[in-house]
Amino acid sequence: MLNELITERKLPALPSLPAERQEVLHLLAENEYGFTPSFEGEVSGFTESHEITYGGKALSERILLSFPTPHGTFSFRVRVLLPVEVKPAPVFLHISFHTEENKAVNDHRIVEHVPEEEILDHGYGIVSFCYEDVTSDSGRWDGLALAYPSGGDSGWGKIGMWAFAASRVMDYLLTREDVDSTRISVSGWSRLGKTALWCAAQDERFSLAISTESGCSGAALQRGKGGETVRDITSRFPYWFCRKYASFAGCEDKLPFDQHYLLALIAPRTVFVGSAEKDLWADPVSEFLCAKAASSAFEQIGVPGLITPDVLPSAECDLYDGRIGYLLRRGEHWLMRRDWLAHIRFRDLHHV
Ligand code: GCU
C-alpha cells in the first residue's frame, strides 16, 4: 500500500548514494537552499559564564563563539548545559527560537518547549543557540549574511546560514573533552527543523538529525503535498531559500528532486521525523511518505531505513527500529515533552 501511495506522487528516483552524494548536495543547493560557503578557519569559544545548576546536576556555560569570515570575525552566543555525572556526554545541539535571556524573538518562544531537567536526567546535554543571533528571520541582510558575499540565483538563504552556524558549533564542540564527539545530534522545530535537516545533510559529523514538524521544504514531500506549498513558502519567506527556488512555485513537479533526497543524504546515519496529527500545514502524510521514500537510500547502504507496517500511521504511532525514526503524535504544531521523550528513546536505542 505505501509503495502505491509513493508511486502516485511521481517522485524522481533516488540517485545512488553515497556515490552521488556531491551531485545531490549540489542539486539541493542550486535549486532550494543555496550554496553554503566553505569554511576552513578555526572556531574559538570564550567562556563568559560558568556555573553548576539544577541542584548540582548540571554544568551551565555561556560561550561566545568566534570564527573568521571574509569580512572579519563573526561571533554569536551558545548555551551549554551538560550533566555533570556523564563524561563525555552525548548532546542535543538544538537550534532554538529562544534567546539566552529567554526573551521573545517571536511567538515561537511560547510553543517551543525544552524539558531541560528531564533531558539531563537521561544523560544528555543540551547545547543551543538562538537562530536570530546568527542572522535575523527577515529579509534584512544582517549578521552572518553580511560576512559572506551573496551570490546570484543560487546564493544561500537564511536556512543555509542557520545551518552553517550549527556546523560552527559542531567545530567548537569537537574541541571539548566533556562532549561525546560521536553522539552529537542537530535538532530544530518547524523552520528550524528544515534547518537541522539541511545542516546534517551537509555535515556528516552529526550522528542524528531531528526535525519536528518541519513540513514544506523540510521533511515533507513536495509533490502531492497538502497544506503549505512552494508558492506559499516562497511568497512569505523568500529569504529562507535561494532566489531560484521561487521559480518552482506551482510547478513542484519540475523540481529535479524531492525532499526524500534531503533525508537520503543523512544515510547511513540516523534521522528522526516528527509529525503532529493536526499540523495539516506541515502535512504529516507527506512527512511520513518522505521518510518511507528515503528508506531505499539506507537499504542500498545495507542498513534499515524506516521500519513500518504497510499502512499510513494513525496518531500515537512511534516507529523507532530503523535508522529513520518517525513519530505521529496527537495535537498541533508545537514542540513538546512528548517529542523530546521520543528523541531520547530513539537515541538510547540506536546509541547515537
Ligand atoms: C510558517 C511557515 C512554515 C514554518 C513555520 C514555523 O508556518 O509557513 O513553513 O515551518 O512557520 O517555522 O513555525
Side-chain angles (χ1 to χ4, degrees):
M1 172 192 181
L2 293 179
N3 285 340
E4 281 148 34
L5 291 175
I6 289 173
T7 309
E8 279 168 17
R9 300 280 178 124
K10 299 199 173 69
L11 303 177
L14 273 177
S16 82
L17 288 165
E20 292 176 62
R21 182 177 162 76
Q22 289 314 320
E23 290 82 342
V24 178
L25 279 170
H26 191 95
L27 270 186
L28 288 165
E30 185 182 8
N31 297 290
E32 186 168 13
Y33 305 107
F35 287 101
T36 305
S38 60
F39 180 79
E40 270 142 31
E42 234 168 71
V43 177
S44 64
F46 174 72
T47 309
E48 293 185 322
S49 69
H50 171 105
E51 60 169 340
I52 297 296
T53 178
Y54 282 103
K57 287 196 290 196
L59 164 72
S60 168
E61 290 184 344
R62 194 165 79 167
I63 309 285
L64 186 68
L65 282 199
S66 302
F67 56 88
T69 76
H71 289 106
T73 301
F74 184 76
S75 304
F76 64 101
R77 289 210 165 80
V78 174
R79 179 160 181 248
V80 175
L81 192 63
L82 298 176
V84 291
E85 298 276 320
V86 187
K87 282 203 176 78
V91 304
F92 287 91
L93 166 46
H94 185 62
I95 313 171
S96 178
F97 287 98
H98 289 70
T99 63
E100 174 63 30
E101 298 78 21
N102 221 5
K103 285 196 198 116
V105 282
N106 59 35
D107 293 346
H108 285 81
R109 186 185 63 90
I110 307 157
V111 289
E112 182 194 47
H113 174 59
V114 182
E116 289 183 350
E117 186 177 3
E118 202 154 5
I119 296 170
L120 289 164
D121 286 349
H122 279 90
Y124 291 88
I126 309 145
V127 174
S128 56
F129 68 91
C130 176
Y131 77 134
E132 289 212 295
D133 284 348
V134 174
T135 178
S136 69
D137 190 353
S138 76
R140 277 194 313 278
W141 224 238
D142 53 13
L144 187 66
L146 295 176
Y148 286 89
S150 67
D153 283 351
S154 297
W156 63 347
K158 299 265 171 133
I159 286 179
M161 295 177 206
W162 299 320
F164 177 89
S167 285
R168 302 295 67 81
V169 180
M170 169 59 107
D171 295 340
Y172 165 71
L173 292 178
L174 294 181
T175 68
R176 289 186 68 125
E177 285 181 359
D178 50 3
V179 168
D180 183 345
S181 59
T182 66
R183 299 183 67 200
I184 302 176
S185 65
V186 58
S187 60
W189 168 61
S190 212
R191 67 199 67 182
L192 300 179
K194 311 180 209 296
T195 304
L197 292 173
W198 179 229
C199 174
Q202 299 175 90
D203 190 335
E204 295 181 272
R205 299 171 299 175
F206 288 99
S207 58
L208 162 68
I210 302 169
S211 109
T212 305
E213 298 143 27
S214 60
C216 183
S217 317
L221 293 173
Q222 311 270 26
R223 287 168 176 78
K225 185 178 180 306
E228 188 172 32
T229 61
V230 174
R231 185 183 305 287
D232 294 319
I233 205 165
T234 56
S235 326
R236 276 179 73 202
F237 307 106
Y239 53 87
W240 286 354
F241 307 97
C242 71
R243 282 211 299 259
K244 190 170 175 197
Y245 192 43
S247 67
F248 297 99
C251 51
E252 282 85 349
D253 55 321
K254 298 274 181 328
L255 277 166
F257 57 86
D258 209 307
Q259 294 304 113
H260 61 320
Y261 281 40
L262 181 65
L263 302 188
L265 282 167
I266 299 169
R269 293 166 293 144
T270 50
V271 49
F272 194 90
V273 175
S275 303
E277 189 185 23
K278 291 196 179 149
D279 188 4
L280 301 181
W281 188 237
D283 187 0
V285 172
S286 293
E287 291 178 327
F288 176 78
L289 291 178
C290 187
K292 173 73 183 154
S295 291
S296 60
F298 289 72
E299 286 151 15
Q300 268 173 33
I301 304 175
V303 296
L306 180 74
I307 298 185
T308 171
D310 194 24
V311 283
L312 285 176
S314 47
E316 299 310 313
C317 166
D318 300 68
L319 301 171
Y320 296 119
D321 293 341
R323 296 257 174 133
I324 305 181
Y326 181 79
L327 166 69
L328 176 63
R329 64 154 173 78
R330 283 201 190 91
E332 296 169 7
H333 194 63
W334 196 280
L335 180 65
M336 58 175 73
R337 177 173 176 270
R338 168 80 169 95
D339 300 307
W340 286 98
L341 293 181
H343 306 155
I344 291 170
R345 193 168 142 205
F346 183 78
R347 294 192 75 166
D348 285 350
L349 262 175
H350 292 271
H351 200 72
V352 288

